[in-house]
């Protein structure tokens, strides 16, 4: 199975700053990578699919890039509601797997 | 709009089985595969398997083979997830999820069902 490794585990930033989150796959997933945001007590929310496409209703400050094994989620100009846990997930082959998450916390 | 409504929390003893339901509305039920995922406390989500609501065919992750059964009722737009041989490690929030932006991009999630396995 494909292992997704996210870094850093925790990211401490202030509102208005830029966040850069990384996800590395143990083998190529082409562009079949998604990013999710999760807040306590809620289901994950799809932000980015197929590496760089924003899901419906996602603000343009969220952007994704990468292909193959290395991917990045960038949040330009952090808003207070952006502080949450972020997961990457591939759909290259069964079983679909998720990374262990990056917690974005307020500095 | 797409809505997935799941059944309520369950408390089960080790070795027992649990059945979680997921009722879909707001879209053509047979059009999109339905996935089951779970999330243990403090962990990332884990994909369990998928069912084709149209034909009923299923695929499960290898670790759940023999324990996971997924079925559907097209007359009520409902899918069911049965997990048998429960152990404490199965304690988690279980989700159904489907997509509109592409297969296995999980756009739409149920609210989650907490399953606790404890003696």
């Amino acid at each position: 199975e494909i292992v997704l490794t996210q870094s850093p585990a925790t990211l401490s930033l202030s509102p208005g700053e830029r966040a850069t989150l990384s996800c590395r796959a143990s083998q190529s997933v082409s562009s079949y990578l998604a990013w999710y945001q999760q807040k306590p007590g809620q289901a994950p929310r799809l932000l980015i699919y197929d590496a760089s496409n924003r899901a419906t209703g996602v603000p343009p400050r969220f952007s994704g890039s990468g292909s193959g094994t290395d991917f990045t989620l960038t949040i330009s100009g952090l808003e207070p509601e952006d502080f949450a846990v972020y997961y990457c997930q591939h759909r290259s082959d069964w079983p679909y797997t998720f990374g262990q998450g990056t917690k974005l916390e307020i500095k | 709009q797409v809505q997935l409504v799941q059944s309520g929390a369950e408390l089960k003893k080790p070795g027992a089985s649990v059945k979680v339901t997921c009722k879909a509305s707001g879209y053509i039920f047979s059009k999109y595969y339905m996935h089951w995922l779970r999330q243990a406390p403090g962990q990332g989500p884990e994909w369990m398997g998928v069912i084709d609501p149209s034909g009923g065919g299923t695929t499960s992750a290898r670790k759940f083979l023999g324990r996971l059964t997924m079925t559907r009722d097209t007359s009520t737009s409902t899918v069911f997830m049965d997990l048998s041989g429960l152990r404490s490690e199965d304690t988690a929030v279980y989700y159904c999820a489907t997509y509109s932006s592409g297969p296995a991009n999980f756009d739409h999630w149920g609210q989650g069902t907490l399953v606790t396995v404890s003696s």
Side-chain angles (χ1 to χ4, degrees):
Chain A
E1 87 178 31
I2 296 172
V3 176
L4 300 179
T5 303
Q6 293 186 239
S7 61
T10 304
L11 186 58
S12 299
L13 293 170
S14 300
E17 291 193 293
R18 178 188 187 97
T20 302
L21 288 68
S22 294
C23 177
R24 175 164 289 178
S26 59
Q27 63 190 75
S28 176
V29 297
S30 185
S31 294
Y32 298 129
L33 189 104
W35 290 93
Y36 297 82
Q37 176 193 70
Q38 188 175 31
K39 297 180 180 179
Q42 296 183 15
R45 172 197 178 196
L46 178 67
L47 298 175
I48 301 289
Y49 66 93
D50 295 348
S52 60
N53 297 288
R54 272 189 301 277
T56 302
V58 175
R61 64 179 181 273
F62 291 90
S63 63
S65 63
S67 65
T69 60
D70 290 292
F71 299 87
T72 301
L73 174 70
T74 302
I75 312 171
S76 304
L78 285 165
E79 298 286 345
E81 62 268 25
D82 298 336
F83 292 91
V85 179
Y86 292 83
Y87 295 99
C88 58
Q89 171 245 331
H90 83 84
R91 65 180 184 97
S92 174
D93 196 3
W94 290 317
Y96 307 130
T97 56
F98 289 76
Q100 81 281 15
T102 290
K103 181 179 182 181
L104 178 57
E105 64 177 24
I106 299 177
K107 189 173 182 180
Chain B
Q1 71 283 17
V2 176
Q3 265 201 309
L4 304 176
V5 179
Q6 298 182 222
S7 50
E10 302 267 9
L11 173 61
K12 295 293 183 180
K13 293 194 184 300
S17 298
V18 68
K19 188 168 191 170
V20 180
T21 67
C22 171
K23 183 172 176 58
S25 61
Y27 71 103
I28 300 171
F29 178 67
S30 60
K31 188 172 180 180
Y32 300 113
Y33 286 17
M34 188 73 77
H35 297 257
W36 287 95
L37 305 97
R38 72 179 186 180
Q39 189 169 26
Q43 305 295 315
E46 178 180 29
W47 181 80
M48 300 177 67
V50 58
I51 182 168
D52 173 4
S54 177
T58 63
T59 297
S60 301
R62 187 170 299 179
K63 72 178 285 185
F64 298 107
L65 287 176
R67 290 209 298 146
L68 176 63
T69 302
M70 295 170 285
T71 55
R72 94 288 191 218
D73 180 346
T74 56
S75 68
T76 60
S77 300
T78 302
V79 295
F80 307 91
M81 187 279 297
D82 259 284
L83 189 63
S84 62
L86 290 171
R87 33 205 188 234
S88 59
E89 311 89 87
D90 294 317
T91 293
V93 176
Y94 288 74
Y95 294 100
C96 57
T98 191
Y99 58 90
S100 48
S101 60
N105 294 318
F106 304 122
D107 302 74
H108 311 288
W109 296 68
Q111 82 276 19
T113 296
L114 175 62
V115 175
T116 303
V117 183
S118 174
S119 54

